[in-house]
Every structure is written in structure tokens, then in C-alpha cells.
Amino acid sequence: MREFSFEEVEAATGGFAAKNLVGKGSHGNVYVARLVCGGDGGGGRVRKKKVVVVAVKRASHALGEAKLANEIAVLAAAGEVAGVVNLVGVAAGRREGERMLVMEYMADGSLHDLLHRPTTARQPPPPWPRRVEIALDVAEAVRALHGGEPRVIHRDVKSANILLGRDGRARLADFSLAVKVLAAPGGGGATAAAAGPAPAGTIGYLDPCYTEPGRL
């Protein structure tokens, strides 16, 4: 996982310019950025520099910083998972201890945008086979996260957190509410955190099997 300086990210986003703002949530903002990668490869090797388009997530308040720190920790622990937005690296923030998330840029926006955009002859609503493809991509990602070690529970799977790449595949994003769950001793499919943490997520998307008994 690469470490970027604040100055690198500030320059790559044009000083976090409004024109580069591509997403805004309750915990932070997401900017498209053009980072220069490559150069000195170490050991006398020289790698050709190239410009890489990424997305930079920056917290907008103190609580957002804690959520972003959790997201970075969860993604780093999960590693590379098919169907999950790729973690490119982290960047230092302006304040001490502040960090920003650098991830792959998903050029085609979110599933929410796709479903709710105005319908025209040039942009008809997505056909049902396409919707099924997206659902399967997300289901495979969730299955991989639940089967990993540690298990990762996203807790906020919704259309706004499903991003679409130019390769046509969907990827699950925004792990700010995600938790890592370790298998409990003795197996049997139980988890050490079965009685917690408290339910969290978005009303309308929360699973009643989770919210009613309060068990994750």
C-alpha cells in the first residue's frame, strides 16, 4: 500500500477543487485526482513515470476521520477482493493524525446514479439482465468478504455504495461502517462478535435479521 504526501494529493486534486468533487457523503468528500506514479524504483532501477487517475476520499469532520480510519483498516486487512473497490494507498492529511484514502477511480458512477438518472432515448433504463449482472457482482464480493479471515461485514450495502467501472463490472465501496469479525473458538459458524456491535447502516437497506435481534 503506497503512502502519498498531502502535497501530492493536494496538487493532484487541484487543491481539492469543486470541479474535481465526484462524491459527497455524511462523513466526507471524494475527489478525482491525477497522481504521478513511478520514478525511482530503488536499487538503481528507474521506472517510467505515468499519470494514474484515482479517487481520493477526505473526511469532512472529526467523526468522519474516525470512519475513514476504520475504512482504511478494514480494506487493508481484507486485501484484494474481487468485486471490491481497490485500495491504492493512503495519504497524510493537513492535521496531525489525519489520513485520506486513495482508491481506484470508478468512471461510470454509482448504481444509484444509473437507476435514477433521467430516462431518454439515448439513455434508457438499464435492462434487467444488466441489473442481474450487477447484483451477482455484489453478491460475489459479499460472499468473499464473509468467507475471508478476518470476516468483513460491510453493514451498508446499498445502490449508492455500488460503483461501476468502464469494464462493466460493479464494485462494492464505502467501508466506513464495516467491521472485522473473528471466528469464535470451537467453530460451528458462530462469531466472537455475535452480540455486537450495535446495528448501523441506512434505513430501508438494513437487514431485519440483524436489527431486530441486534446480532450481527
Side-chain angles (χ1 to χ4, degrees), residues 57 64-77 85 87 101 103 154 173-178:
K57 190 173 185 179
E65 288 182 18
K67 296 292 185 185
L68 191 53
N70 177 72
E71 184 169 8
I72 292 170
V74 168
L75 286 173
V85 65
L87 175 64
L101 174 65
M103 54 192 169
H154 188 278
D174 195 347
F175 283 70
S176 57
L177 294 179

Side-chain angles (χ1 to χ4, degrees), residues 144-186:
L145 291 168
H146 289 185
E149 186 57 48
R151 299 174 185 175
V152 173
I153 313 298
H154 188 278
R155 299 205 299 171
D156 201 19
V157 178
K158 59 182 181 180
S159 59
N161 289 340
I162 297 167
L163 304 182
L164 307 172
R166 284 183 173 157
D167 59 358
R169 306 306 296 270
R171 293 173 179 80
L172 188 58
D174 195 347
F175 283 70
S176 57
L177 294 179
V179 293
K180 295 177 288 184
V181 180
L182 300 176

Side-chain angles (χ1 to χ4, degrees), residues 37-119:
C37 298
D40 184 9
R45 294 175 299 170
V46 177
R47 294 181 298 185
K48 185 177 180 181
K49 291 185 178 181
K50 62 179 181 179
V51 177
V52 179
V53 180
V54 297
V56 175
K57 190 173 185 179
R58 186 186 191 190
S60 53
H61 48 76
L63 179 59
E65 288 182 18
K67 296 292 185 185
L68 191 53
N70 177 72
E71 184 169 8
I72 292 170
V74 168
L75 286 173
E80 192 170 326
V81 178
V84 172
V85 65
N86 289 327
L87 175 64
V88 175
V90 295
R94 187 183 296 276
R95 296 181 298 277
E96 184 177 355
E98 180 190 5
R99 301 174 87 197
M100 293 178 283
L101 174 65
V102 182
M103 54 192 169
E104 67 174 320
Y105 175 60
M106 305 298 289
D108 286 357
S110 72
L111 175 59
H112 182 276
D113 296 336
L114 177 66
L115 294 175
H116 295 279
R117 70 187 181 188
T119 300

